[in-house]
Amino acid sequence: MREECGVAGVVQFKEETHPVPSALRLYYALYALQHRGQESAGITVHDGRQPQTLKGMGLVPEIFDKDDLVSLKGDVGIGHVRYSTCGDSRIENCQPFIVKYKSGSVALAHNGNLVNGLDLRAQLEAEGHVFVANSDTEVIAHLLVKELLKYEPVEALRNVMKQLNGSYSLVIMIDDLLMAVRDPLGFKPLCFGTIDSGYAVASESVAIDTLNGKLLRDVEPGELIIFRDGEVESHQLFDEKYSAHCVFEYVYFARPDSIIDGQLVYRVRERIGEKLAEEHPVDADMVSPVPDSGITSAIGYSKGSKIDYEESLMKNRYIGRTFILPGQAMRETAVRLKMNTINENIKGKKVVLIDDSIVRGTTSRRIIDMVRNAGAEEVHARIGSPPIVAPCYLGIDMASRDELIAAHKTIKGVEAVINADSLGYLSVDGLVAAIGIGRDDLCVGCLTGAYPVEIPGESICQRRQLKLHEF
Ligand code: AMP
């Protein structure tokens, strides 16, 4: 199962005149991280005696109401939003995941994907552990409880991490002790900051902004942060030579107003657009984004090419789950309900259409056809990432190799399928330069097919192979 998610944690220790409950702060943090997961959400708080959880399927505002949140007592808590993916969509898989054991409780929220999750689960099952869900998170929770029976939290975490292969940004509560940990290669983002009453930790800095907080820094790869007695303790448990930050966070997944590993995502996307203009210039009348994913790169392309930025498509921001009746006319309506063309802007124009990525190719084809039908003279597709040629095993729900259009077709072949007059993808070097982090510190597995960790049946990028160097 793929886990593409958002996590958050809050601890409050200062007395305030108008205290906002931790559960409510977590609600706002999760709302800010909604783009990272729309399938389910959950909040667990701890009042010093026991954990209490609220979780459900759907969007953050649909799940929690004010009275429920206010009834969740406790100064410390964690939260989670989960993405709608191919995995089981059921309440058991909602996080935070809680295990009660003889010394207390462990609550855990996870963003990432373990490559060896199934193997670890099989070992634990053989030892008699019982699982209620089918997510990696439950595996990590059981491993942690096992270690906590023998060791203090720091040692216990170190021992758990030695067994995990894959990506994990975790927020954890061992009883009412809040901790945050990032895997030794730092695949998925995780950062923390101060809020007026204490600290917040989150997948993206926008959650800390929303709480009116101040971003302090990223959790480093292999680092464990413990928020204890109003202080931040850092334990660098593993120290790898290289990191493997996910490039797709910058390309598509993260919000543009987030700062991840020192880079403002907006600035990265703007540079992506500028690089695209450099690598794939075209004679055109206007640069237009596929909303919303192509907007910032289109601004960059426009700056780089000196071609005017103009919108040609408008997205309905309020689209939720809709019903459609069968039949072609209704299908057309469903598409138009989501996205409409601004015909007057398009008619007779040569349009450069910018999007962040092509996965299966179906979206590009549909949108290019719409722009053509609206009267465009030419449609040139420019894509803010290189061709996606291999699946992601590390937490982005991409598609299987069979479904990835660029895994089987040349660029000319993709151009024909999506019906563009020309198609230009950003190069891997161009993307790396736009991100501003060295290539050796990035995971480009989906773009090259060589991964920074061992994945059965796939090739490994030797230089960055994880050896688990303890600090
Ligand atoms: P398609 O090529 O039809 O599979 O869809 C590509 C579009 O989906 C692009 O416009 C992206 O903005 C968006 N996209 C890319 N990756 C993902 C993902 N992991 N989850 C959801 N949407 C995505």
Side-chain angles (χ1 to χ4, degrees):
M1 187 199 299
R2 306 240 163 82
E3 299 284 359
E4 212 174 51
C5 306
V7 297
V10 161
V11 59
Q12 308 199 85
F13 58 89
K14 288 185 204 155
E15 292 294 327
E16 283 193 306
T17 12
H18 301 291
V20 179
S22 290
L24 211 52
R25 292 192 195 254
L26 282 164
Y27 167 81
Y28 297 131
L30 294 182
Y31 217 149
L33 297 175
Q34 185 77 83
H35 62 289
R36 298 186 70 86
Q38 299 94 46
E39 186 188 81
S40 67
I43 290 174
T44 300
V45 294
H46 202 291
D47 63 2
R49 284 179 299 130
Q50 58 181 11
Q52 252 188 301
T53 300
L54 270 183
K55 51 186 175 182
M57 308 300 291
L59 299 174
V60 172
E62 295 166 355
I63 298 168
F64 306 105
D65 77 31
K66 189 169 141 269
D67 294 341
D68 287 345
L69 286 169
V70 172
S71 76
L72 285 187
K73 302 279 181 234
D75 293 334
V76 54
I78 62 174
H80 187 262
V81 285
R82 182 165 182 267
Y83 204 75
S84 166
T85 64
C86 50
D88 282 5
S89 173
R90 53 188 174 105
I91 191 82
E92 289 83 353
N93 282 324
C94 292
Q95 299 185 29
F97 204 85
I98 296 109
V99 181
K100 293 191 177 162
Y101 68 115
K102 70 173 193 186
S103 313
S105 68
V106 167
L108 219 132
H110 171 210
N111 172 210
N113 196 56
L114 296 185
V115 176
N116 63 342
L118 286 178
D119 296 342
L120 291 170
R121 183 183 164 123
Q123 280 168 30
L124 287 164
E125 279 174 335
E127 291 168 21
H129 290 256
V130 177
F131 288 80
V132 295
N134 60 358
S135 77
D136 291 345
T137 317
E138 195 178 7
V139 172
I140 303 176
H142 279 273
L143 288 174
L144 184 55
V145 163
K146 217 174 122 184
E147 294 297 328
L148 283 171
L149 291 171
K150 290 180 275 178
Y151 301 100
E152 289 301 300
V154 176
E155 231 20 66
L157 240 318
R158 190 197 307 269
N159 291 340
V160 171
M161 288 167 77
K162 277 184 204 164
Q163 300 170 66
L164 306 180
N165 177 21
S167 66
Y168 50 95
S169 280
L170 299 166
V171 289
I172 305 169
M173 269 195 307
I174 299 177
D175 294 322
D176 58 355
L177 184 64
L178 178 66
M179 310 173 35
V181 69
R182 205 167 167 200
D183 65 67
L185 294 182
F187 282 101
K188 309 306 292 173
L190 193 64
C191 61
F192 65 98
T194 48
I195 52 174
D196 47 10
S197 52
Y199 293 99
V201 52
S203 292
E204 290 183 37
S205 58
V206 288
I208 297 167
D209 295 344
T210 304
L211 297 180
N212 228 346
K214 185 172 171 293
L215 172 68
L216 287 175
R217 63 175 176 87
D218 296 286
V219 177
E220 294 298 326
E223 186 183 26
L224 164 68
I225 297 283
I226 303 183
F227 301 90
R228 189 165 11 212
D229 303 328
E231 303 289 331
V232 175
E233 275 175 41
S234 160
H235 301 265
Q236 190 66 51
L237 300 183
F238 296 90
D239 189 27
E240 297 306 306
K241 193 165 171 203
Y242 298 108
S243 305
H245 304 309
C246 167
V247 292
F248 220 68
E249 290 281 343
Y250 293 102
V251 165
Y252 168 77
F253 203 50
R255 258 173 61 162
D257 46 340
S258 279
I259 299 171
I260 296 180
D261 290 305
Q263 306 294 321
L264 175 66
V265 175
Y266 184 96
R267 203 61 67 220
V268 170
R269 291 195 189 150
E270 202 178 36
R271 287 197 293 259
I272 282 176
E274 286 167 1
K275 288 267 164 215
L276 253 180
E278 228 175 270
E279 291 184 5
H280 298 286
V282 59
D283 175 27
D285 304 310
M286 63 191 269
V287 178
S288 222
V290 173
D292 295 321
S293 51
I295 291 176
T296 319
S297 318
I299 291 169
Y301 194 99
S302 169
K303 279 189 183 169
S305 63
K306 309 267 185 305
I307 302 172
D308 286 347
Y309 174 95
E310 190 143 40
E311 289 176 274
S312 58
L313 295 150
M314 203 46 66
K315 200 170 168 175
N316 184 338
R317 287 174 201 268
Y318 305 100
I319 198 95
R321 291 194 183 97
T322 59
F323 64 89
I324 47 166
L325 299 175
Q328 184 56 27
M330 275 308 275
R331 262 198 296 278
E332 293 290 326
T333 301
V335 170
R336 290 271 166 194
L337 195 60
K338 278 190 194 149
M339 188 113 67
N340 194 18
T341 45
I342 308 171
N343 297 0
E344 203 177 297
N345 283 358
I346 299 170
K347 206 166 176 349
K349 301 274 178 58
K350 295 179 190 162
V351 182
V352 191
L353 204 56
I354 313 277
D355 203 359
D356 65 290
S357 58
I358 299 179
V359 182
R360 297 173 178 83
T362 43
T363 310
S364 306
R365 168 79 206 217
R366 189 159 29 83
I367 288 173
I368 291 169
D369 283 348
M370 279 177 89
V371 174
R372 275 195 198 289
N373 292 338
E377 195 183 306
E378 292 173 13
V379 184
H380 301 274
R382 296 292 179 269
I383 307 298
S385 64
I388 296 169
V389 296
C392 176
Y393 298 91
L394 295 149
I396 295 281
D397 178 40
M398 219 58 119
S400 65
R401 196 174 247 110
D402 292 351
E403 296 165 314
L404 292 171
I405 188 168
H408 307 287
K409 292 197 184 296
T410 59
I411 293 174
K412 277 281 159 211
V414 177
E415 185 182 279
V417 170
I418 66 171
N419 193 25
D421 288 287
S422 74
L423 166 65
Y425 283 100
L426 187 64
S427 66
V428 176
D429 286 346
L431 175 62
V432 169
I435 292 175
I437 295 175
R439 181 168 175 162
D440 284 341
D441 289 316
L442 295 170
C443 176
V444 287
C446 60
L447 312 175
T448 60
Y451 300 86
V453 291
E454 212 158 320
I455 294 165
E458 297 285 358
S459 49
I460 186 152
C461 167
Q462 287 298 344
R463 243 176 335 159
R464 292 198 280 114
Q465 191 171 1
L466 177 70
K467 298 240 171 49
L468 279 179
H469 300 286
E470 281 183 53
F471 201 67

